[in-house]
Amino acid sequence: MPHSRPMPSIGVHCYELRVRDADKNWRIIYRIDDDAILILEVFNKTTRATPTNVIKSCKKRLKKYDIDTED
């Protein structure tokens, strides 16, 4: 069964979904908004810590999304 955990280092309402495949450990970083679920990154996790470049990429995508969807 997949497991999810909060990722406050990326942002509010952000989570990491852990999915184990036959030989890989996949991670899906996502944010839940009132009107959407944003998939920020999908990657094969090979270390205990989330790579810094993944965190930076997710933050950058969220910032762009938030700016593009402002009222």
Side-chain angles (χ1 to χ4, degrees):
M1 195 76 167
H3 297 280
S4 184
R5 71 178 181 102
M7 292 290 290
S9 61
I10 294 174
V12 178
H13 306 293
C14 290
Y15 300 88
E16 176 186 71
L17 182 65
R18 300 180 290 173
V19 181
R20 188 169 273 254
D21 196 352
D23 59 346
K24 296 189 190 242
N25 291 309
W26 295 98
R27 298 297 189 262
I28 302 167
I29 306 293
Y30 64 100
R31 182 175 82 181
I32 300 174
D33 286 353
D34 290 337
D35 59 345
I37 296 175
L38 309 169
I39 305 297
L40 303 170
E41 185 70 75
V42 177
F43 64 101
N44 175 25
K45 192 165 182 182
T46 57
T47 63
R48 288 185 58 90
T50 302
T52 305
N53 64 324
V54 169
I55 293 172
K56 286 181 182 178
S57 174
C58 290
K59 286 181 176 183
K60 183 178 177 182
R61 289 176 181 160
L62 282 175
K63 184 176 180 179
K64 181 171 179 1
Y65 176 82
D66 289 339
I67 288 170
D68 290 348
T69 58
E70 282 181 348
D71 292 343

